C-alpha cells in the first residue's frame, strides 16, 4: 500500500493508554467539540492506524465489546461524545489500533437527531471498520432498520466536488467507506445458524435482505452504501446466560460467546489499516487533522468533500524523501526497508471488494541533491477510468454468495458517456471464448486464458475499448464464465449468467467445439430456459415469460452469432458448397411429428429461431498445432494456421461492422452509464429472487436518465446564458430573447436524452424550472438596472443637491432656476446608456422623493404671485401624472411581453416534443417492420417445412404486431401526448396563460 506520512520504527510503538474523550457533544447546541488533549495524544501515533469505531443504541454493551477487544479492564463507558483508546495492534507489528467508543443513540429518533447524525458520519469517516452494535430483542431486522442515520451520508458526504453526470455519487461513496460490521448481541444460541454464518464468511446479505421492491428501505440503503457488509451474532456473555447482565471484561465468559468473540476479533484485526482515498496509510497526525476538518464542516452543515480534505492533509503531511521511506509513485506501492516491508502488505478480508483510488501521489524528490523536495499530490481524474487498458470482473460469481456486481468495474463502466456496442460471448467451459474476445479487442492478451481442463473465467468479465470502426462509440466486450463446469457441483448460476449475457448485449456470440449436432443443441438448453427466467412485460401477477408473446423478446434480445471452433468438416450439402449460415439454418430445421423424441429434438431449435431471428454462423479450424494450443497468447500471427487467421479476420470484421449499439425498444441508444444501471438492476433482481422484467428495468432506467436529463438541460441553460451575463439589458425583450435561446438549447439537451416520459412528468418539471429561472433572471435584471440607475442618479444629481444645501434657490426667481437645473439633470441622466428596464421607474421615484423640496422652494420664491404658484403646482402634478401613466403603460407592455414569452415557450416545448415524437414514432415503426419481416420469414420457413400449427402461432404474433404498428402510426399517437403536455402546462405556467395554452394545445391535438 502506498504511504503518505513517515512511520516510526517498532521501538517507538505506543504504549497502551486509558480511554480519553476525543469528541464531546455539547448538549445545549448539539454541536461537536474536539478535545485538544486527546488530539495531542493521537498525533503521537506515528505508525499505520487500524481504526475501529462502534456505534449503536444505548445500553447494548458497546463498551464491553471494546474492552474485550482491548483485553483491558472495564472502563466507565462514554459519558457523552466519542471516547478513544489507543494500543499496539495485537497481530500487526508496527501498527497501532485505535478504538472509538461512541455514546449510544436514544430510543426516540427525534432526540438530538442532528447531533447523533454528526457522530455517525464522524465514526464512518474516521474508521477502517465501522461496527453497528445492537441487541437482538424482537425482530433482528428491525434493529438494523434503527440505523436511520445512514440516510444522512449521501447528503453530508461526497467523494468529488461535483458528483454529477456521468458520475454516480452513491457508487463512488460506497467504494471508499469502511467495512460495515453488525454485531447482534444477546441473541439465543443457535449452533446451526452460527455454522451457516461461518460458511457464508459472515456475509450480512446471506441472512438479512430487503424485501423485493423495497428500494428505499434502510436495509437496501445500507447495502448500497457499504460495499463490504458482515454480521456477527453473540449470545449473552455471562456463564449463567442471563440477558442484560455483563460480566467483568476479564472474567469468565460463556463458551459460545467466547467462540463468537474470537471469530469477530479475527475478522476485525485482519482488516486493512485506515487509508486515504489514494490508499496512503494514515498515521495519528493525519487522522487528527482529518477529525478537526470534518468536525468543522459538520458544524457549518457544509458538504464534506473527501477529495479536497485528503488533498489538503496530504500536501501538509507528506514528508521529504529520507532513507528507508520513499514517497509513493503512481506505478505502485512503496518499497521500504526490509524490516518494515511486512507492514505495508495489504490484508483484505474479502478480496472481492476493491476500493476506487481517487488520489495518487507522485514522487517529486530533488534529483539535484538539495535535500529532497516534498512529494506532490495530484488529483485523480475520474475520466481516467475510461482509459483502463485491461479486463475487469463486472459480475462476480461468488461460491455460496451468488452473483455480485463489482463496484470498481461499475465505476469504470458508468464513466463512459458514449454509446456502447456490447458484444458478449457464452458457451461451454474450455472452448476458447476468451481467446476469441481478445481477437475482437485487437490484442493477443487481455482476457485470461486457461490451458488446463479447469474452467478459468469466473462470473462476467468486461473489457472496454474504443470501437475500431465507429468513432464516438465504446466497444464493451463481455467474457462469461464457461457453462457446464463439472467442478461447480451446483450449476444454478449458469442459466443466470447466460441470461445476463442475453440481456446486456447487442450481439451475443455462442461458442462451441466441433460441429452443430444434437449434442451441441442439447448443450444449448439455456436458450430453452430463458422463458423461465425473464419476463418481458410488467403486469400485476404476471408469471415468467413462458406465456408471453415471443415478439416482445425479439425487440429486446441481441443478434445471435454461432462460432463453431475446431471445425473439421467440409461445408457441402447435397453435393454443393454451402455457406456457414446455410449450415446453421440446415441444423435448425425442425423434425416432423408430435412425439416426445421430436419435441425434444425441436425445442432448442424452435427457441433459437423464435428468439433470435437475426442469426449468423462462423466456422473456425484449429488455430495452431496441438502442442502449441496451450500457449496461444505467445504465438505470432504467422505461427497460426492460415485458415484460422482468415476465418478470424472475417469474424472480427463482421462484428466490428454489423454489431449495433445497445438500444432499448424504440431505438434509444444505451450509454456506459445506462448499461451500468441495467447491470445493477438485473443482478439485484436475481439476488432477491425476483424474475428480471425487461419493461420494469427500462422504466427504472428511464426514471434515472430522465431525472439526469432535466439536470443536464438546466446545466446547458446556465452555460448558454454564460457565467458573465451582462446585466442589465436595455429592454425586457432583449432579456427574453437571451432566455429563449438558452431555453431552446436546454430543451434540445433534454429531448436528446430523455425517453419513455409518457406522463410528461420530467418535461413538466423542466418547464417549471425554466419558468422559475426566467423569473429569477428578470428579477436579477431589475435589481441590476435599479442599482445602475441609482448610481447614475447619485452622480448626475450631485450638483443639484449641493445647490439645494447651499440655499442657491432660496432667492426670488430661485424656483425657475431649480426647474432648469432639474431638467438639465434629467437630460444628463437620460443620456447615460446601459441603465436597463428600470430607468423610467427609478427616475420617477427619484423625482417623487424630491418633490417636497421642490414645493418648499416654490413656496419661498417671492418673485411669483400666489396664482402663479398654484399654476406651477398644477403643472407639476400633471407632469407627475403623465410620468405615472407612461410608467403604467411600460409595465403593461412588459407584462404582455412576458405573457407572449410564455406562449412562445410553450410552443417551443410543443414543437420540440412533436419532433421528438415523430422520430420515436418512425423508429418504433421501423423496429416493428423489421420484427414483422423476421416473423414472416419464420412463418414461411415453417410452412415450407410443414409445421402449420407453429406457423399459425407465428401468424397470431404477426397480427398483434400489425395492430401495434397501426396504433402507433395513427395521428392520435402524437396528439395525445401533446394534449397531455398542454394539460400539465396549465398547472405549471402562472396566471391564466397556462389555461390558454392548454386549451390551444387541446385544439391543436384535435386537428393533427
Amino acid at each position: 500500500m502506498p504511504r503518505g506520512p513517515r512511520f516510526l520504527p517498532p521501538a517507538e510503538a505506543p504504549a497502551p493508554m486509558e480511554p480519553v474523550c476525543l469528541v464531546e457533544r455539547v448538549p445545549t447546541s448539539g454541536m461537536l467539540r474536539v478535545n485538544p488533549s486527546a488530539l495531542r495524544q493521537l498525533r503521537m501515533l506515528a505508525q499505520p492506524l487500524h481504526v475501529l469505531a462502534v456505534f449503536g443504541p444505548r445500553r447494548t454493551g458497546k463498551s464491553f465489546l471494546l474492552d474485550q477487544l482491548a483485553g483491558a479492564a472495564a472502563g466507565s463507558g462514554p459519558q457523552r461524545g466519542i471516547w478513544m483508546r489507543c494500543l499496539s495492534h495485537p497481530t500487526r507489528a508496527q501498527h497501532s489500533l485505535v478504538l472509538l467508543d461512541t455514546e449510544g443513540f436514544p430510543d426516540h429518533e427525534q432526540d438530538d437527531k442532528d447531533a447523533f447524525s454528526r457522530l455517525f458520519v464522524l465514526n464512518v469517516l474516521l474508521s477502517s471498520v465501522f461496527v453497528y452494535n445492537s441487541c437482538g430483542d424482537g425482530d433482528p431486522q428491525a434493529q438494523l432498520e434503527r440505523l436511520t442515520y445512514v440516510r444522512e451520508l449521501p447528503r453530508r458526504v461526497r467523494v468529488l466536488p461535483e458528483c454529477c453526470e456521468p458520475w454516480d455519487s452513491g457508487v463512488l461513496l460506497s467504494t471508499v467507506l469502511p467495512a460495515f460490521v453488525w454485531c447482534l448481541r444477546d441473541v439465543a444460541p443457535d449452533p446451526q445458524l452460527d455454522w451457516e454464518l461461518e460458511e457464508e464468511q459472515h456475509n450480512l446479505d446471506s441472512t438479512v435482505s430487503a424485501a423485493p421492491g423495497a428500494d428505499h428501505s434502510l436495509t437496501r440503503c445500507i447495502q448500497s452504501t457499504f460495499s463490504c457488509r458482515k454480521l456477527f451474532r453473540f449470545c449473552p456473555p455471562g456463564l449463567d446466560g442471563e440477558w442484560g447482565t455483563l460480566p467483568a471484561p476479564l472474567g469468565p465468559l460463556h463458551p459460545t460467546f467466547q467462540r463468537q468473540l474470537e471469530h469477530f476479533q479475527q475478522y476485525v484485526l485482519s482488516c486493512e489499516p485506515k487509508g486515504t482515498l489514494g490508499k496512503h496509510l494514515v498515521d495519528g497526525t493525519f487522522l487528527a487533522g482529518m477529525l478537526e476538518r470534518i468536525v468543522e464542516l459538520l458544524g457549518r452543515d457544509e458538504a464534506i468533500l473527501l477529495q479536497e480534505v485528503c488533498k489538503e492533509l496530504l500536501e501538509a503531511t507528506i514528508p521529504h524523501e529520507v532513507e528507508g521511506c520513499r514517497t509513493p509513485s503512481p506505478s505502485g506501492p512503496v518499497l521500504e526497508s526490509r524490516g518494515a516491508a511486512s507492514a505495508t502488505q495489504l490484508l483484505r478480508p474479502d478480496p472481492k471488494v476493491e476500493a476506487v483510488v481517487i488520489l495518487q501521489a507522485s514522487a517529486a524528490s530533488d534529483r539535484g541533491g538539495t535535500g529532497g523536495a516534498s512529494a506532490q499530490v495530484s488529483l485523480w481524474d475520474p475520466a481516467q477510468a475510461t482509459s483502463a487498458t485491461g479486463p475487469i470482473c463486472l459480475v462476480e460469481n461468488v461460491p455460496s454468495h451468488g452473483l455480485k456486481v463489482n463496484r470498481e468495474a461499475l465505476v469504470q463502466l458508468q464513466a463512459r458517456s458514449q454509446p456502447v456496442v456490447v458484444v458478449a460471448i457464452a458457451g461451454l467451459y474450455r472452448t476458447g471464448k476468451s481467446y476469441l474476445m481478445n481477437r475482437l479487442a485487437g490484442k493477443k492478451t487481455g482476457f485470461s486464458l486457461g490451458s488446463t481442463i479447469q474452467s478459468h473465467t469466473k462470473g462476467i468479465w468486461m473489457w472496454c475499448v474504443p470501437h475500431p470502426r465507429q468513432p464516438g462509440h465504446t466497444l464493451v466486450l463481455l467474457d462469461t464464465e464457461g457453462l457446464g463446469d463439472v467442478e461447480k457441483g451446483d450449476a444454478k448460476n449458469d442459466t443466470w449468467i447466460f441470461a445476463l449475457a442475453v440481456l446486456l448485449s447487442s450481439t451475443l456470440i455462442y461458442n462451441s467445439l466441433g460441429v452443430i449436432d444434437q449434442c451441441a443443441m442439447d448443450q444449448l438448453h439455456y436458450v430453452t430456459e430463458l422463458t423461465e427466467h425473464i419476463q418481458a412485460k410488467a403486469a400485476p401477477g404476471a408469471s415468467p415469460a413462458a406465456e408471453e408473446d415471443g415478439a416482445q423478446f425479439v425487440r429486446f434480445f441481441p443478434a445471435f452469432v454461432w462460432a463453431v471452433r475446431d471445425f473439421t468438416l467440409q461445408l457441402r450439402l447435397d453435393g454443393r458448397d454451402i455457406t456457414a449460415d446455410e449450415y446453421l439454418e440446415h441444423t435448425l430445421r425442425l423434425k416432423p411429428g408430435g412425439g416426445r423424441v421430436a419435441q425434444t429434438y425441436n425445442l432448442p431449435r424452435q427457441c433459437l429461431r423464435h428468439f433470435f431471428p437475426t442469426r449468423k454462423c462462423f466456422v473456425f479450424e484449429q488455430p495452431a498445432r496441438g502442442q502449441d494450443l496451450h500457449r496461444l497468447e505467445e504465438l505470432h500471427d504467422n505461427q497460426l494456421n492460415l485458415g484460422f487467421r482468415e476465418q478470424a479476420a472475417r469474424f472480427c470484421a463482421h462484428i466490428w461492422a454489423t454489431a449495433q449499439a445497445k438500444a432499448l425498444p424504440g431505438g434509444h441508444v444505451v450509454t456506459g452509464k445506462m448499461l451500468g444501471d441495467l447491470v445493477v438492476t438485473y443482478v439485484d433482481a436475481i439476488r432477491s429472487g425476483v424474475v428480471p422484467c425487461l419493461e420494469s428495468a427500462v422504466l427504472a432506467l428511464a426514471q434515472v436518465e430522465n431525472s439526469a436529463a432535466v439536470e443536464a438541460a438546466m446545466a446547458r441553460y446556465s452555460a448558454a446564458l454564460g457565467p458573465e451575463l451582462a446585466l442589465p439589458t436595455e429592454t425586457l425583450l432583449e432579456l427574453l430573447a437571451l432566455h429563449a435561446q438558452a431555453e431552446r438549447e436546454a430543451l434540445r439537451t433534454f429531448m436528446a436524452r430523455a425517453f419513455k416520459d409518457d406522463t410528461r412528468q420530467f418535461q413538466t418539471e423542466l418547464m417549471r424550472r425554466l419558468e422559475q429561472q426566467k423569473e429569477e433572471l428578470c428579477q436579477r435584471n431589475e435589481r441590476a438596472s435599479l442599482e445602475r440607475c441609482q448610481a447614475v442618479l447619485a452622480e448626475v444629481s450631485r450638483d443639484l443637491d449641493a445647490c439645494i444645501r447651499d440655499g442657491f434657490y432660496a432667492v426670488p426667481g430661485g424656483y425657475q432656476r431649480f426647474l432648469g437645473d432639474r431638467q438639465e439633470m434629467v437630460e444628463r441622466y437620460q443620456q447615460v446608456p446601459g441603465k436597463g428596464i428600470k430607468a423610467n421607474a427609478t427616475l420617477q421615484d427619484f423625482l417623487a422623493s424630491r418633490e417636497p423640496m421642490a414645493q418648499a422652494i416654490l413656496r419661498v420664491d417671492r418673485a411669483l404671485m400666489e396664482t402663479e404658484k398654484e399654476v406651477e403646482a398644477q403643472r407639476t402634478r400633471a407632469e407627475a401624472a403623465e410620468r405615472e401613466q407612461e410608467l403604467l403603460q411600460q409595465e403593461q407592455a412588459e407584462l404582455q411581453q412576458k405573457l407572449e414569452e410564455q406562449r412562445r415557450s410553450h410552443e417551443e416545448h410543443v414543437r420540440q416534443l412533436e419532433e421528438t415524437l415523430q422520430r420515436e414514432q418512425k423508429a418504433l415503426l421501423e423496429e416493428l417492420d423489421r420484427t414483422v419481416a423476421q416473423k414472416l420469414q419464420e412463418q414461411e420457413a415453417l410452412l415450407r417445412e410443414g409445421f402449420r400449427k407453429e406457423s399459425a402461432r407465428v401468424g397470431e404474433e404477426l397480427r398483434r404486431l400489425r395492430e401495434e404498428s397501426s396504433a402507433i402510426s395513427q395521428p392520435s399517437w402524437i396528439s395525445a401526448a401533446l394534449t397531455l403536455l398542454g394539460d400539465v402546462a396549465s398547472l405549471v405556467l402562472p396566471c391564466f396563460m397556462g389555461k390558454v395554452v392548454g386549451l390551444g394545445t387541446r385544439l391543436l391535438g384535435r386537428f393533427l
Side-chain angles (χ1 to χ4, degrees), residues 662-670 674 705 751-755:
K662 176 71 176 174
L664 303 175
H668 193 82
V669 176
V670 172
M674 297 169 66
E705 280 297 298
M751 291 297 181
R753 184 165 183 176
F755 67 100

Side-chain angles (χ1 to χ4, degrees), residues 22 76-77 101 152 158 226 245 396 474 515 549 595 726 852 902 943 968:
L22 179 64
S76 61
D101 189 6
E152 291 290 297
R158 289 199 171 196
F226 296 93
T245 303
E396 300 171 355
T474 296
V515 295
D549 187 348
Q902 284 189 1
L943 285 173
I968 293 175

Side-chain angles (χ1 to χ4, degrees), residues 36 47 57 202 289 310 317 387 530 626 641 687-688 694 917 951 965 987:
Q47 296 179 322
H202 291 273
C310 289
T317 59
S387 60
L530 283 177
N641 290 335
R687 288 177 62 86
S688 62
L694 302 176
L917 290 173
S951 174
S965 179
L987 303 176

Side-chain angles (χ1 to χ4, degrees), residues 321-362:
E321 182 170 318
V322 296
E323 182 179 358
C325 181
R326 203 182 72 220
T327 48
S329 69
S331 59
V334 174
L335 297 177
E336 299 184 291
S337 60
R338 291 192 182 100
S342 61
T344 59
Q345 296 296 321
L346 275 178
L347 293 181
R348 201 171 182 85
D350 185 358
K352 298 295 183 182
V353 180
E354 298 293 341
V356 173
V357 179
I358 304 297
L359 293 174
Q360 289 182 339
S362 58

